[in-house]
Amino acid sequence: MAPRPRAFKIRSLRDPRKFGVAARSLLELRRKGGKLLQLSSPDCRLCLYEDGTELTEVVSDIDHFLNTCYTQKDDIVEAAQKLLSDEQAPRRQKLLVDFIQTLSENILAESREEDRKWFEGIESRFKNKSSYMRYSCESRIRSYMKEVSSYTSAVHPAAQAEYKRITDFMLDKLKSVKYNGCYFDRREEEEVRLCTTDGWFSCQGPFDRDYCLYKHSINPYGNRENRILFSTWNLDHIIEKKRTIVPTLAEAVKEQDGREVDWEYFYRLLFTLDNLKLVHIACHKKISHNLTCDRTKIYRKRNNRQKVSK
């Protein structure tokens, strides 16, 4: 007979009107059932036995708790601030501060007049959040372009002119698409932005995974602190820029021998979501990715006239 799943004694969350009861119950669940959600063992089921309360009920209560937070957030923020004023335990202080900050976010505000705190430290020329976020993305892409251009001096002297010609094509292309600032602009169409219409960004996981194990998310449109923290998130190159893409481009120019370097292939690797992932700093692995460019895409048939596609 299979062993009985471990029982967890929790307080049944029967009165959703009482925020304090819900909070105490959740804390008790966390204290006595810290490994509850690790469901990999054969004898583990999605239920809690001792008082008959099932996990689905707990999930429902948590969902109600979250909904209550946002529908009555002003009252809850006030209550949390009162608790914080007397709280001495650092861990509980941190939880309360984060809780208050999250509920106090002015996410939907867009203009400087609507959310002046968000714009503290930002030049007056930026009148709304989206324009600043767009600028911050453009700045990252511009820095990538500068790195590519600065590599010219490392290219074989006989190939430097051709390398510069290619980087000029890339620069013209970037200017035509406004340096892909659309990636951080929540006003853009869904297919070109990395966030929701409210401005939520989700970590896409490290270069060697298709998802984020920790479900990192952030909304830099919400408050000033998140705006600053978002600058630590990386637009990470899956195939590495410095170690792989740029040296491969330089080598391709040097060894082209009458062939036409497909600069647009390198452009996509350097500046687009074909090869860029948005990752939380904890998911940004700085080890060698050990990935190479596709040798079948480095060259293309030579054209008499080079055009910048848009």
Side-chain angles (χ1 to χ4, degrees):
M1 179 180 295
R4 179 183 177 87
R6 181 182 176 187
F8 297 94
K9 183 177 180 181
I10 67 168
R11 187 190 305 272
S12 184
L13 311 184
R14 297 300 181 191
D15 188 359
R17 295 171 300 172
K18 296 183 179 180
F19 171 75
V21 171
R24 288 195 301 274
S25 302
L26 291 172
L27 288 172
E28 187 172 345
L29 171 63
R30 179 68 183 89
R31 184 170 60 251
K32 295 189 176 182
K35 296 184 179 180
L36 176 65
L37 297 181
Q38 296 181 8
L39 304 176
S40 57
S41 60
D43 61 340
C44 190
R45 300 179 198 165
L46 289 173
C47 57
L48 306 170
Y49 285 95
E50 191 161 293
D51 67 352
T53 303
E54 295 189 3
L55 180 63
T56 51
E57 295 177 21
V58 178
V59 170
S60 177
D61 286 325
I62 293 175
D63 184 59
H64 182 89
F65 164 72
L66 293 174
N67 288 334
T68 301
C69 285
Y70 283 98
T71 57
Q72 302 178 26
K73 65 177 184 179
D74 291 341
D75 291 338
I76 294 175
V77 166
E78 183 180 355
Q81 287 173 332
K82 289 179 180 178
L83 284 175
L84 180 62
S85 64
D86 297 324
E87 184 57 62
Q88 299 299 320
R91 185 176 183 180
R92 286 167 61 90
Q93 284 180 341
K94 171 64 174 169
L95 288 171
L96 285 168
V97 168
D98 288 348
F99 183 59
I100 292 168
Q101 182 185 68
T102 298
L103 290 185
S104 301
E105 288 179 338
N106 196 0
I107 290 174
L108 297 183
E110 181 68 17
S111 69
R112 186 178 286 266
E113 290 70 26
E114 293 174 303
D115 195 349
R116 292 193 174 278
K117 287 185 178 180
W118 193 94
F119 286 89
E120 288 179 5
I122 293 178
E123 296 177 44
S124 59
R125 63 190 176 98
F126 295 104
K127 305 301 181 184
N128 57 67
K129 294 179 180 180
S130 294
S131 64
Y132 178 79
M133 292 301 299
R134 188 179 190 97
Y135 166 78
S136 69
C137 185
E138 291 175 6
S139 296
R140 298 190 191 205
I141 301 297
R142 285 176 188 270
S143 71
Y144 299 163
M145 185 67 240
K146 287 181 180 178
E147 288 183 62
V148 177
S149 297
S150 66
Y151 196 81
T152 304
S153 59
V155 177
H156 189 279
Q160 286 185 2
E162 177 64 8
Y163 183 87
K164 185 179 186 307
R165 187 178 77 92
I166 287 175
T167 58
D168 286 344
F169 282 131
M170 290 183 177
L171 181 58
D172 288 342
K173 171 84 170 181
L174 282 175
K175 288 178 179 178
S176 74
V177 295
K178 299 180 180 178
Y179 292 90
N180 291 327
C182 56
Y183 296 158
F184 290 178
D185 189 342
R186 65 180 178 182
R187 302 168 301 181
E188 284 286 351
E189 296 297 322
E190 183 177 1
E191 59 268 19
V192 297
R193 54 178 160 80
L194 285 169
C195 60
T196 68
T197 53
D198 288 342
W200 284 98
F201 292 82
S202 296
C203 175
Q204 296 176 316
F207 75 93
D208 54 355
R209 284 189 175 274
D210 294 329
Y211 57 92
C212 172
L213 288 171
Y214 307 101
K215 305 296 183 183
H216 294 126
S217 63
I218 191 171
N219 193 326
Y221 287 85
N223 57 56
R224 179 174 177 268
E225 182 172 343
N226 278 350
R227 168 175 64 76
I228 295 171
L229 285 175
F230 186 65
S231 65
T232 67
W233 284 50
N234 291 273
L235 271 176
D236 188 30
H237 289 84
I238 301 171
I239 300 174
E240 295 170 282
K241 176 177 79 273
K242 290 182 179 180
R243 286 192 177 110
T244 305
I245 304 172
V246 176
T248 302
L249 172 60
E251 179 189 10
V253 173
K254 178 186 173 184
E255 304 295 335
Q256 65 185 110
D257 191 25
R259 294 171 291 181
E260 184 73 39
V261 174
D262 190 348
W263 66 268
E264 289 182 300
Y265 168 64
F266 288 98
Y267 170 90
R268 291 191 296 272
L269 293 181
L270 288 164
F271 308 116
T272 77
L273 301 183
D274 285 5
N275 190 51
L276 290 173
K277 296 182 75 175
L278 181 67
V279 295
H280 184 279
I281 189 171
C283 287
H284 184 208
K285 297 181 180 180
K286 296 187 177 181
I287 59 173
S288 177
H289 294 188
N290 291 319
L291 299 172
T292 60
C293 298
D294 187 340
R295 291 287 171 179
T296 66
K297 297 180 179 179
I298 290 176
Y299 298 104
R300 64 184 176 190
K301 292 182 179 179
R302 179 176 289 278
N303 296 322
N304 291 328
R305 294 182 63 186
Q306 184 66 272
K307 295 181 180 180
V308 176
S309 62
K310 297 182 179 181

